[in-house]
Amino acid sequence: MGPAAEPPAVLRRRRPPLLLLLLFTNFVPSFGKETVRTTAVTPQFEQNMDYVDFIHLNILEKKVLNNSEVSVQYLCSKPCIVNLEAVASSEFRTGVSVYRRRWKDEKNLYISRTRQVHLKFPSIMVYRDDYIIRNSIIVHSVILYAWISHKSVSSYDVEQNEDYQNAVAKNYTFLEAVPPFERPFKDHKVCLQWGADYLWMLQANRIPQCPHESDGVQILNFIYASSGEKTGIVKKFEQFENRELETVRQHQIDYPMFTVSIWLYLLHHCEKDLCGILYFIDPKEMYSTPAVFLNEEGYVHIQMHLMRGDDLAVKTSFSLPLKQWFRLDLSFKGGQVEVSSVGKNLKRHHHQSFTFREDFYYDDTAGYFVVGGSGYVNGIEAFFGPVKYYRLNVLETEQISNPLHDKETVEQIELYYERCMDVQEIVYEYRYIVRQGEKVQRNCYYESYYLELIHKYGEESKCDAFMWGKELREKYHTLFKLLQEMDFSAPDVLEDGSDTVLEVGQRIFEKVAKSLSSTDGLSNMGSSVPLLVDSSCCGYHKASYFLAVIFETGLGVSVDRTKGLLYSLVGAQGNERLAVMNLGYKHYQGINNYPLDLELSYAYYSNIATKTSLDQHTIKGEQAFVETIRLMDDELLKAQTKENGDVFMWLKHEASRGNAAAQQRLAQMLFWGQQGVAKNPEAAIEWYAKGAIETEDPVLIYDYAIVLFKGQGVKKNTKLALELMKKAAAKGLPQAVNGLGWYYHNFKKDYRKAAEHWLIAEELGNPDASYNLGVLYLDGIHPGVPGRNQTVAARYFYKAAQGGHIEGTLRCSLYYITGNMEDFPRDPEKAVIWAKHVAEKNGYLGHVIRKALNAYLELSWHEALLHYVLAAETGIEVSQSNLAHICEERPDLARKYLATDCVWRYYNFSVSQVNAPSFAYLKMGDFYYYGYQNQSKDLELSIRMYAQAALEGDSQGFFNLALVMEEGNSIPSYILDHLEIDQALHSSNTSLLQELYYRCWNNSNQESISPCSLALLYFYMRVFWNNILQSTLIYFMGTFLLSILVAFAVQHFQSLSARNSPGTRSEPLSDEPSSSGNSNEDATRLVQPDESTFSNDLAQQDSNLQNPLVMG
């Protein structure tokens, strides 16, 4: 059993005993139990030279067909009886005799004879269903037995012991069953009545086809970068739909027969204990058959669950190779395991067999598989290639079909690590030479005061002496040039050189990043790429992610998908958070030639989601709070500030005067790096302390208590922290009540008091309390509740997740991906969405977004474009729509430095998100309606986009849908259903238009005149006028109006003629014609009424969050 769980608890797992591990290292294959299945098919007979009888079967086509011809060749030494019998097995019955034939041979002794026999089978075995044969059967196997029995002539008609087992000569062969829908129809030689024949012909074409199903399953078909973390790919298998395959699977539960083939590129052996390669977890969250791990020496550790309930483990005598592609094949049969290592050329390198003392227990539907790491074990540091699983068959290496598909990427990975080995060796040796030279120089300085002054005030010395050849220096000339410019005497480089290579990689990256963020930085991209490659090779994988984005988007270079994929994989394997999120997003959406794979996406997202929870408890590192700030939201942009900004200075002034709200907001901004303020935990703690002491604000008191409990930036003071926490709890603050429960749980181990406080806090709506109660149930320490209760724990975790609790959300996503919890049916898509939601709160991503926003506010366009592209490629929606906005605002910049169509690409990405803003739907709707550059028009997609914006509550969506109808187009029925518009009530276009305009007005600002209110008024006027035109009053009204018009005209001309004197000519007034209002119709569509009012609510929520410092 594993170690006891720590809050939050992890579920226990089986560990193989150390003694067993040593015992089975060189396993002797002699412990397998004997079963019917392991008995040899052909029994061994005693050799007797007197027996010369034999019988052979020859069949041209070994299929179950009617009138199949069998050639029986035999020889009898005595008068004999020759027997033929066909035995069939179906889904419901086994060992059924379906054909028998026998004949005697008394005269032809010691002579080989041949006889042709035509087999006859029941019609339900060889023909398709028809009007007469209603239920043909699925045949699993048919065995044709042939044997010879010695008989006297007088005993031929007497029942004697003539069975197969007592025969003097015998043989058998297998016949291949034909699936029911591949069989021919039988000619019954009868004439059906016309009605019966017609009815049958109608049914004949409706025979359901069997589902195409195979026992060969591709668990993984794309390269997976495993960073060695406790996350991996989760796969769950259901029962076969094909009844024949499912019957075989159930029969093999107590005698399993299956094969697994895994391609690997291993970077390191396991650092400690065991690392997961592939293993099965049962419903009790225990290791089951099989569990394959890698140990510290590189040997394969295989643990199996036996029929009687024990677990036994073995390890191979050969180790797995590093930094080369190989295939690990494992086959399991009964109680035997075969392990093989195969190279890229498919030649076997190593092979080993193990036989256990009893058969394995194996039900692959009762639990789930994990490839890589999980909550119970770290994964291996490697790249997984294709993984193939044969559920019902044991295959030899030559029979396995599991090729390496993406050979170009496979070769690129090999070349990358070969080059990086050279780079790392050069950096290490160069630093060693420089440091040795500096030691010699320092010794000289101590003897010469003049040399010491030169060293102190003169130029930095450079090493121009090389021990490397000219060819190597030319190949890595940029690296050598950078090394010459570096100062290796800095104290941050350790003396033993263990971090030297990584430190050099970081320095190279910082130099490149500074260059790219300058005024015309992106124009230097061509010269920056080689430096980023060197930085990546030194293990600094921020550079790897930069390269991935540069090549995938064509940022300053030509698009190169292969290199983009390479550096995405390398960065993710190196645990660079943004690179991991990038791969998770691409597999979630299935874009940029990445296959749609939700399980693979979850493996990446869950990695960063787990880190997000840990990162939030760490005040160090380049982190910032992830804020939803949109570049088209002027109000939020005005609220951004800096330490010398007006907003910050005003808050500081108010906080100094004792304003509790100002102190609280100021501390939050400094602690988390919000609203444009640089992260400064030390300054934040000062304001927390000042507010807690000077004011009675419970939130400030609670926040300062948290800081004192955890010792974040200050010395721990549990006594004062407890006093403050009790004070805040007495004021009714829910999180403070939860904090007291946390104190009793962690410091006093008083679970009863902890549960009491958490129950009170949970009733007050605190999600942390819900999560903590779940941990009590999961660990089995809830007072008054015996044992663990995962079901109740999961319900509390779900309630916490609904309240935004990060760990609760993460646990629920795990339940959805495994499907091992009764209240959480397996739903990989929901698991990905929940894990993605947590991952996108990561502080390192927030730092990149904040740098992009600050650059935009300072009009540093190159830096803003660079960092928004980096953030957008991770899949976070706010950066995608912001990047599209920048590309619209500065199209010249986008065209010059981005090879992809920036506006189309990122608005398209935005609307594919769960939390897409309505204005992105409107943009894409316009693009589809009018056509965008090389993108063709698509009316239906345009209507769908407008409808989605309408569903988000955007009045412009309803307005655009109405305009589409005004132009003579119709809205599809499924979209009206989606909008919940009753088509029975609004069957006419007039009624439907009225409903759309009314909803447009209802979702807009009703206190002011909006385009929707004007459109609705204009619609009512048109309806009123049309109704008047169709009435009988039109004649009266027309006559009346015409009479008035004629009267006014006559009066007007009379007055003119009276004023004009004789001999003069009046000059008529000239009026300018007015333009039609319809000419602005296209412009009207693109106008969004008061767009800022439709910004995402999350932006305001994030900017007004209470202090997220909570006890978990």
Side-chain angles (χ1 to χ4, degrees):
M1 300 296 289
E6 299 177 2
V10 296
L11 303 181
R12 297 166 177 80
R13 64 184 180 88
R14 295 188 178 104
R15 285 182 179 273
L18 181 61
L19 178 62
L20 290 174
L21 178 62
L22 298 176
L23 282 174
F24 291 101
T25 300
N26 297 305
F27 216 98
V28 180
S30 60
F31 299 108
K33 75 172 184 180
E34 294 182 357
T35 66
V36 175
R37 293 180 181 275
T38 55
T39 305
V41 176
T42 307
Q44 301 295 323
F45 298 100
E46 297 180 4
Q47 299 294 324
N48 192 324
M49 297 304 295
D50 295 334
Y51 291 170
V52 294
D53 300 74
F54 71 84
I55 187 166
H56 296 306
L57 296 171
N58 295 313
I59 306 177
L60 292 177
E61 191 172 9
K62 290 189 175 183
K63 289 187 176 182
V64 180
L65 303 172
N66 229 18
N67 286 323
S68 294
E69 190 175 30
V70 181
S71 176
V72 183
Q73 185 181 8
Y74 63 94
L75 182 148
C76 294
S77 60
K78 295 181 181 180
C80 63
I81 299 174
V82 183
N83 297 270
L84 279 180
E85 183 176 11
V87 177
S89 295
S90 68
E91 184 176 358
F92 305 104
R93 296 183 63 187
T94 58
V96 179
S97 179
V98 293
Y99 175 82
R100 283 179 181 171
R101 174 81 183 274
R102 65 177 182 166
W103 65 89
K104 63 181 180 179
D105 195 333
E106 302 172 353
K107 300 178 181 179
N108 302 301
L109 305 181
Y110 299 102
I111 299 174
S112 177
R113 298 270 297 170
T114 301
R115 184 162 183 166
Q116 304 297 327
V117 178
H118 292 276
L119 302 178
K120 299 284 187 179
F121 295 109
S123 295
I124 58 174
M125 287 180 58
V126 292
Y127 293 114
R128 285 183 66 168
D129 283 355
D130 59 19
Y131 192 78
I132 296 175
I133 303 173
R134 290 304 181 102
N135 295 299
S136 60
I137 61 173
I138 299 173
V139 181
H140 289 171
S141 63
V142 176
I143 306 175
L144 182 63
Y145 294 99
W147 70 95
I148 297 174
S149 301
H150 286 171
K151 297 292 181 182
S152 62
V153 177
S154 61
S155 66
Y156 178 74
D157 294 324
V158 181
E159 289 293 331
Q160 297 278 336
N161 190 10
E162 299 175 5
D163 62 356
Y164 182 81
Q165 296 298 329
N166 297 305
V168 295
K170 52 189 170 182
N171 207 333
Y172 70 92
T173 187
F174 286 94
L175 300 180
E176 182 184 346
V178 179
F181 296 107
E182 294 181 11
R183 300 171 189 169
F185 287 105
K186 183 177 181 180
D187 183 6
H188 295 284
K189 300 189 182 301
V190 295
C191 186
L192 298 175
Q193 292 182 355
W194 181 88
D197 187 55
Y198 180 73
L199 288 175
W200 167 244
M201 292 302 295
L202 290 176
Q203 298 175 9
N205 296 326
R206 296 181 183 178
I207 295 177
Q209 296 294 320
C210 290
H212 179 71
E213 200 170 9
S214 170
D215 78 311
V217 182
Q218 200 76 41
I219 292 180
L220 182 63
N221 204 24
F222 197 78
I223 297 175
Y224 166 52
S226 175
S227 60
E229 299 293 316
K230 288 190 172 183
T231 54
I233 302 170
V234 177
K235 288 283 184 177
K236 189 174 179 69
F237 295 99
E238 304 295 336
Q239 296 181 356
F240 287 104
E241 293 183 15
N242 187 301
R243 289 182 297 176
E244 180 180 355
L245 293 177
E246 179 56 23
T247 302
V248 175
R249 188 194 69 80
Q250 291 183 7
H251 286 167
Q252 292 184 2
I253 288 177
D254 58 351
Y255 189 86
M257 297 174 63
F258 63 97
T259 303
V260 180
S261 175
I262 308 168
W263 280 102
L264 290 170
Y265 186 88
L266 201 58
L267 295 176
H268 305 285
H269 292 146
C270 191
E271 289 187 2
K272 184 180 179 182
D273 199 11
L274 298 174
C275 296
I277 298 177
L278 176 83
Y279 44 95
F280 190 78
I281 305 292
D282 67 14
K284 296 180 180 179
E285 296 294 322
M286 309 286 280
Y287 287 140
S288 189
T289 300
V292 184
F293 305 98
L294 183 72
N295 69 8
E296 298 174 46
E297 293 82 24
Y299 300 115
V300 181
H301 175 111
I302 306 170
Q303 178 175 314
M304 309 299 288
H305 186 55
L306 307 184
M307 280 296 300
R308 295 181 183 178
D310 298 330
D311 292 321
L312 290 182
V314 297
K315 73 173 182 179
T316 59
S317 59
F318 62 88
S319 62
L320 300 182
L322 295 178
K323 294 186 178 177
Q324 67 180 63
W325 284 100
F326 67 92
R327 197 177 77 190
L328 183 65
D329 295 338
L330 303 105
S331 61
F332 305 84
K333 182 178 182 181
Q336 297 178 339
V337 180
E338 303 278 339
V339 187
S340 300
S341 173
V342 180
K344 279 179 67 177
N345 56 4
L346 299 185
K347 290 184 179 179
R348 182 184 290 177
H349 293 166
H350 302 282
H351 178 77
Q352 194 169 2
S353 301
F354 302 98
T355 303
F356 287 69
R357 65 168 180 253
E358 60 181 89
D359 293 344
F360 311 135
Y361 177 83
Y362 181 60
D363 183 357
D364 66 353
T365 64
Y368 57 91
F369 274 102
V370 179
V371 176
S374 67
Y376 315 125
V377 65
N378 288 86
I380 57 174
E381 294 185 56
F383 294 99
F384 282 87
V387 179
K388 188 72 173 284
Y389 169 41
Y390 295 91
R391 299 177 68 181
L392 303 178
N393 284 299
V394 174
L395 301 179
E396 297 292 333
T397 297
E398 298 77 14
Q399 297 175 303
I400 295 173
S401 175
N402 185 27
L404 271 172
H405 297 292
D406 194 353
K407 294 184 178 179
E408 187 176 6
T409 304
V410 165
E411 292 173 0
Q412 287 289 329
I413 289 174
E414 290 178 320
L415 292 173
Y416 171 83
Y417 284 101
E418 287 175 9
R419 184 185 191 282
C420 290
M421 287 177 65
D422 291 342
V423 170
Q424 293 175 13
E425 185 178 351
I426 290 170
V427 170
Y428 186 84
E429 293 295 333
Y430 190 98
R431 178 255 182 197
Y432 177 78
I433 293 171
V434 172
R435 294 300 293 270
Q436 289 299 111
E438 287 178 349
K439 286 181 180 179
V440 173
Q441 288 181 0
R442 277 197 295 269
N443 293 334
C444 294
Y445 297 152
Y446 295 144
E447 300 175 5
S448 172
Y449 179 71
Y450 177 71
L451 290 176
E452 186 178 353
L453 290 175
I454 292 177
H455 174 71
K456 187 174 181 179
Y457 299 106
E459 295 182 359
E460 294 181 3
S461 59
K462 296 180 181 179
C463 180
D464 295 321
F466 291 105
M467 59 177 287
W468 298 277
K470 181 180 179 182
E471 183 179 350
L472 195 65
R473 288 195 315 233
E474 290 179 352
K475 184 177 180 181
Y476 301 106
H477 66 280
T478 55
L479 177 62
F480 280 111
K481 184 178 179 182
L482 275 172
L483 291 173
Q484 284 183 280
E485 298 172 356
M486 287 187 180
D487 179 14
F488 287 92
S489 62
D492 53 351
V493 180
L494 301 181
E495 283 295 325
D496 61 359
S498 58
D499 290 339
T500 298
V501 176
L502 182 61
E503 176 67 25
V504 169
Q506 182 177 351
R507 292 187 187 183
I508 296 173
F509 173 79
E510 288 172 351
K511 180 177 180 178
V512 174
K514 185 177 179 181
S515 171
L516 293 177
S517 298
S518 61
T519 305
D520 295 319
L522 295 180
S523 59
N524 303 323
M525 189 63 73
S527 59
S528 300
V529 167
L531 302 179
L532 289 172
V533 172
D534 290 337
S535 176
S536 171
C537 274
C538 290
Y540 197 73
H541 290 296
K542 284 187 178 180
S544 302
Y545 181 61
F546 264 58
L547 288 167
V549 172
I550 287 168
F551 285 118
E552 282 196 354
T553 62
L555 184 61
V557 299
S558 300
V559 174
D560 190 328
R561 301 286 188 196
T562 304
K563 287 185 178 179
L565 172 59
L566 168 67
Y567 289 109
S568 290
L569 291 169
V570 168
Q573 199 288 318
N575 239 340
E576 167 54 32
R577 288 164 175 76
L578 271 64
V580 177
M581 291 181 67
N582 172 48
L583 286 175
Y585 173 64
K586 298 297 171 58
H587 286 295
Y588 170 50
Q589 295 289 348
I591 52 179
N592 286 12
N593 298 323
Y594 290 79
L596 177 64
D597 191 328
L598 294 176
E599 286 92 351
L600 186 52
S601 175
Y602 177 81
Y604 289 123
Y605 270 128
S606 61
N607 182 5
I608 305 306
T610 304
K611 283 184 171 58
T612 298
S613 176
L614 300 174
D615 290 341
Q616 288 195 350
H617 297 289
T618 305
I619 61 176
K620 296 181 180 179
E622 293 183 334
Q623 296 192 67
F625 191 78
V626 179
E627 299 170 282
T628 305
I629 300 172
R630 303 195 182 278
L631 300 185
M632 57 285 296
D633 192 333
D634 293 334
E635 294 300 320
L636 276 178
L637 291 180
K638 291 175 183 176
Q640 303 308 301
T641 184
K642 288 190 175 182
E643 288 78 356
N644 57 353
D646 294 339
V647 175
F648 184 85
M649 297 302 293
W650 180 82
L651 282 173
K652 192 173 182 180
H653 172 72
E654 288 297 309
S656 302
R657 294 176 58 191
N659 187 319
Q663 290 173 343
Q664 181 182 338
R665 184 63 193 140
L666 196 64
Q668 288 176 354
M669 290 166 64
L670 289 166
F671 194 91
W672 296 103
Q674 294 178 352
Q675 213 167 319
V677 176
K679 194 173 182 180
N680 190 343
E682 290 77 13
I685 290 167
E686 291 180 8
W687 287 109
Y688 281 133
K690 182 178 176 63
I693 295 170
E694 294 181 358
T695 71
E696 292 296 316
D697 184 70
V699 175
L700 283 170
I701 296 172
Y702 165 78
D703 288 342
Y704 188 50
I706 293 288
V707 169
L708 292 172
F709 266 130
K710 295 188 175 182
Q712 292 179 316
V714 293
K715 187 178 179 180
K716 283 187 178 182
N717 190 334
T718 307
K719 183 179 179 180
L720 178 58
L722 180 60
E723 291 177 5
L724 292 172
M725 190 67 73
K726 287 182 176 179
K727 186 177 181 181
K731 292 178 178 291
L733 191 69
Q735 53 263 47
V737 179
N738 171 72
L740 285 177
W742 178 85
Y743 168 79
Y744 286 115
H745 179 276
N746 282 44
F747 290 89
K748 297 296 184 181
K749 306 299 178 185
D750 189 338
Y751 303 130
R752 183 184 61 80
K753 281 192 174 181
E756 288 175 358
H757 282 87
W758 285 338
L759 284 169
I760 295 171
E762 202 244 353
E763 289 179 0
L764 295 172
N766 184 258
D768 299 286
S770 300
Y771 180 81
N772 292 335
L773 287 169
V775 172
L776 289 182
Y777 280 103
L778 192 61
D779 284 346
I781 57 177
H782 194 285
V785 180
R788 304 170 70 218
N789 193 325
Q790 295 187 56
T791 303
V792 176
R795 290 170 185 164
Y796 275 112
F797 292 147
Y798 183 81
K799 189 172 183 179
Q802 293 294 93
H805 195 277
I806 286 181
E807 287 84 358
T809 305
L810 194 52
R811 281 193 176 274
C812 290
S813 73
L814 178 64
Y815 294 149
Y816 281 122
I817 196 68
T818 61
N820 252 19
M821 200 66 60
E822 58 180 346
D823 291 339
F824 294 83
R826 190 166 191 266
D827 191 338
E829 185 175 6
K830 187 175 288 187
V832 171
I833 291 171
W834 285 44
K836 180 177 183 286
H837 173 73
V838 175
E840 289 180 350
K841 295 181 180 293
N842 191 271
Y844 289 90
L845 173 61
H847 177 71
V848 175
I849 296 174
R850 171 50 61 180
K851 288 185 75 171
L853 180 60
N854 288 343
Y856 176 81
L857 294 173
E858 295 169 2
L859 300 182
S860 180
W861 295 104
H862 285 244
E863 185 179 6
L865 182 65
L866 171 65
H867 286 93
Y868 268 126
V869 170
L870 291 171
E873 289 296 310
T874 65
I876 186 165
E877 188 284 320
V878 64
S879 293
Q880 291 174 340
S881 55
N882 282 349
L883 178 57
H885 178 78
I886 288 178
C887 293
E888 282 186 305
E889 194 173 352
R890 287 294 305 274
D892 56 325
L893 197 69
R895 284 194 298 268
K896 184 175 181 180
Y897 293 112
L898 280 172
T900 56
D901 189 339
C902 175
V903 177
W904 175 270
R905 175 184 173 88
Y906 291 105
Y907 273 133
N908 202 15
F909 283 177
S910 177
V911 297
S912 301
Q913 302 275 20
V914 175
N915 58 337
S918 59
F919 68 81
Y921 290 117
L922 294 171
K923 286 284 186 182
M924 289 305 299
D926 289 335
F927 292 159
Y928 283 123
Y929 190 85
Y930 296 110
Y932 181 78
Q933 296 184 5
N934 58 343
Q935 305 293 335
S936 59
K937 297 180 181 181
D938 192 321
L939 180 62
E940 186 172 351
L941 275 176
S942 173
I943 293 173
R944 286 173 59 182
M945 292 293 115
Y946 293 147
Q948 193 61 44
L951 286 173
E952 296 293 324
D954 196 321
S955 59
Q956 185 74 43
F958 290 109
F959 187 80
N960 288 357
L961 287 173
L963 285 181
V964 168
M965 287 196 64
E966 295 272 20
E967 293 172 4
N969 302 303
S970 60
I971 298 177
S973 298
Y974 72 92
I975 292 179
L976 294 177
D977 292 338
H978 203 49
L979 292 170
E980 297 182 352
I981 294 178
D982 191 339
Q983 298 180 56
L985 293 176
H986 306 286
S987 56
S988 66
N989 286 348
T990 302
S991 176
L992 186 55
L993 275 171
Q994 179 180 350
E995 178 67 15
L996 291 173
Y997 281 129
Y998 175 77
R999 292 194 182 191
C1000 176
W1001 171 76
N1002 197 40
N1003 283 275
S1004 62
N1005 185 1
Q1006 299 178 12
E1007 295 180 359
S1008 61
I1009 298 176
S1010 66
C1012 292
S1013 58
L1014 292 175
L1016 184 62
L1017 178 61
Y1018 178 60
F1019 174 79
Y1020 283 136
M1021 289 177 64
R1022 284 187 299 163
V1023 171
F1024 177 72
W1025 180 250
N1026 288 335
N1027 289 336
I1028 289 176
L1029 289 176
Q1030 294 172 6
S1031 69
T1032 56
L1033 292 176
I1034 184 61
Y1035 301 107
F1036 171 75
M1037 294 293 297
T1039 305
F1040 178 73
L1041 290 174
L1042 183 60
S1043 302
I1044 294 175
L1045 182 61
V1046 171
F1048 272 108
V1050 170
Q1051 185 178 6
H1052 177 68
F1053 282 110
Q1054 286 177 350
S1055 62
L1056 284 178
S1057 59
R1059 291 176 187 174
N1060 289 336
S1061 59
T1064 62
R1065 185 180 58 185
S1066 66
E1067 297 181 3
L1069 299 174
S1070 62
D1071 294 330
E1072 292 287 338
S1074 60
S1075 59
S1076 173
N1078 294 331
S1079 61
N1080 291 327
E1081 184 175 296
D1082 289 354
T1084 305
R1085 181 182 304 280
L1086 295 173
V1087 173
Q1088 298 182 23
D1090 196 11
E1091 185 176 299
S1092 62
T1093 62
F1094 307 127
S1095 62
N1096 198 316
D1097 291 340
L1098 291 176
Q1100 289 150 11
Q1101 290 173 10
D1102 288 346
S1103 61
N1104 295 310
L1105 285 175
Q1106 291 188 353
N1107 194 334
L1109 279 173
V1110 291
M1111 289 295 185

